[in-house]
Amino acid sequence: MRVRPHVLLLPALLVFAACSKPADVPPADTQTPSPATTPAPAVTASVAAPAVPATVAAPVATAVPANTEFDPASVPVSTATLPPFPFFKTPEGLTSIFADKEKNASFDREHMIAGGKIVAIEGKVFREGFKLDNPEGRSYSDIEFQRNYENAITALGGVKVSTVQYTDEVNQAFGSRDVVDKHYHGACAGVDCQNDTYLIRQNNKETWIQVSTGAIPLHGYVTVLERQAMTSALSFLSAGDMKKALDADGHVALHINFDTDKATLRPDAGSVIDEIGKLLQSDPSLKLSIEGHTDSTGSADHNRSLSGERAASVRSALVAKGIAADRLSTKGFGPDKPVADNGSESGRAKNRRVELVKMP
């Protein structure tokens, strides 16, 4: 299997704390406190334990049954004291193969496995990678590397949620090996590699962790992702702006936030819906086709269905505001009508859109 040239992450503070629990610290203020789950400051050096030998028994974690639709809420909320994101310190004796600029992304997508399926998770990401077969220093077996992270994650209240590996069958069900690789940062997504996904839930946050080993020479990778919506760098169009675009071009593209891989409108989509409502209220004769579009990640058929459902969600929100349903129609084109190159994240972001098209 080929070694991925870069990707995976993990900054600072918890070196394989398999045998040690995080030190107790005074509670910190949070915006969404949960009982006994207050995040803590960085784990001190005294907490970081040396690598656990591969002979240490693996901790027991609740696995998600295969062939079931995974629900993050099925994972118990952690009551452990969590160190700051991304939790982990460089394992003893290893040196990162990534430059600092390759490790962190304020917002990106990662493919991981939940239950028996590949899922696309978006949010803040840290990636790290190491050469484990190291003739000039400390070497790790794949089992020892995986076990250290499993022990540390379990100590933080995390649960292993993957029940399958990246086999050809699993990859094809998602879209293909190439599609998986676009947002995968591990040793390899194949049968000769080990990829385990974990989830930690606390303070209304989900932290997803994927640990990967494999390839020749042996490498180990870790991806830590705090699930969150992207903070848009673009201001939304006002009703007046939309009218100008419709009058000039007959259509206008809007970027409306939905939950990942769902048709559920996020709370911050409300301002855009309000402006569309104002547009329609200002011109009672205006009729619109609401058309959903996606990037090329994942199955094209799934994306066509998803984009149609998202368009329907926008329509329903407008009808709830008093707009007559017969003034609005919906379509879902999925990845079929890109406006930018799907080879870059900026291009994919432009392709994920909802368009309003003026109807006669």
Side-chain angles (χ1 to χ4, degrees), residues 9 85 100-110 121-127 224-233 345:
L9 351 110
F85 180 91
D100 288 343
K101 65 180 181 180
E102 297 177 301
K103 296 181 180 182
N104 296 283
S106 59
F107 183 83
D108 207 343
R109 175 182 297 162
E110 287 292 338
I121 311 295
E122 295 181 344
K124 178 172 63 175
V125 183
F126 178 77
R127 310 176 178 102
V224 183
L225 185 150
E226 183 180 297
R227 189 171 192 167
Q228 55 188 228
M230 184 184 76
T231 301
S232 179
E345 179 52 40

Side-chain angles (χ1 to χ4, degrees), residues 8 111 114 120 144 154 199 204 242 271 319 341:
L8 273 116
H111 288 146
E144 184 179 22
T154 302
L199 175 60
N204 295 324
M242 294 178 196
S271 56
V319 170
D341 181 9

Side-chain angles (χ1 to χ4, degrees), residues 107 109 229-238 242 251-259 264-276 290-295 310 314 337-340 342 344-356:
F107 183 83
R109 175 182 297 162
M230 184 184 76
T231 301
S232 179
L234 302 174
S235 59
F236 65 87
L237 297 177
S238 68
M242 294 178 196
H251 63 93
V252 59
L254 305 175
H255 295 276
I256 301 176
N257 286 332
F258 297 86
D259 285 347
T264 306
L265 287 161
R266 287 188 176 272
D268 59 2
S271 56
V272 183
I273 301 298
D274 288 343
E275 293 302 311
I276 302 173
I290 304 169
E291 302 179 356
H293 302 265
T294 69
D295 61 25
R310 288 179 168 180
V314 173
K337 294 188 175 184
V339 294
N342 276 302
S344 68
E345 179 52 40
S346 61
R348 289 188 291 271
K350 292 177 181 178
N351 290 332
R352 298 191 292 269
R353 68 197 190 279
V354 172
E355 288 200 4
L356 305 181

Side-chain angles (χ1 to χ4, degrees), residues 48-237:
V52 178
T55 56
V56 173
V60 177
T62 305
V64 178
N67 302 319
T68 59
E69 196 67 33
F70 176 72
D71 180 6
S74 65
V75 173
V77 173
S78 169
T79 59
T81 299
L82 299 184
F85 180 91
F87 302 166
F88 307 104
K89 187 177 178 180
T90 300
E92 177 186 357
L94 294 180
T95 301
S96 175
I97 61 174
F98 296 133
D100 288 343
K101 65 180 181 180
E102 297 177 301
K103 296 181 180 182
N104 296 283
S106 59
F107 183 83
D108 207 343
R109 175 182 297 162
E110 287 292 338
H111 288 146
M112 300 187 182
I113 294 178
K117 298 180 179 180
I118 297 173
V119 293
I121 311 295
E122 295 181 344
K124 178 172 63 175
V125 183
F126 178 77
R127 310 176 178 102
E128 185 63 288
F130 309 99
K131 183 178 179 182
L132 303 184
D133 185 6
N134 184 7
E136 298 179 356
R138 171 76 155 88
S139 292
Y140 286 76
S141 68
D142 54 352
I143 296 175
E144 184 179 22
F145 185 82
Q146 289 274 358
R147 187 68 51 78
N148 269 294
Y149 275 100
E150 182 179 19
N151 288 347
I153 294 165
T154 302
L156 295 179
V159 170
K160 181 179 175 181
V161 298
S162 56
T163 60
V164 299
Q165 292 294 312
Y166 291 97
T167 62
D168 288 344
E169 181 179 7
V170 172
N171 294 342
Q172 288 297 330
F174 186 76
S176 76
R177 170 63 183 273
D178 289 342
V179 170
V180 173
D181 276 352
K182 284 184 179 179
H183 296 281
Y184 167 82
H185 297 101
C188 50
V191 293
D192 294 334
C193 295
Q194 180 72 25
N195 290 273
D196 293 327
T197 302
Y198 303 85
L199 175 60
I200 301 174
R201 294 178 62 233
Q202 190 175 102
N203 292 336
N204 295 324
K205 291 183 179 180
E206 297 176 11
T207 303
W208 293 71
I209 304 165
Q210 184 161 260
V211 184
S212 169
T213 52
I216 299 175
L218 182 64
H219 281 67
Y221 295 84
V222 181
T223 299
V224 183
L225 185 150
E226 183 180 297
R227 189 171 192 167
Q228 55 188 228
M230 184 184 76
T231 301
S232 179
L234 302 174
S235 59
F236 65 87
L237 297 177

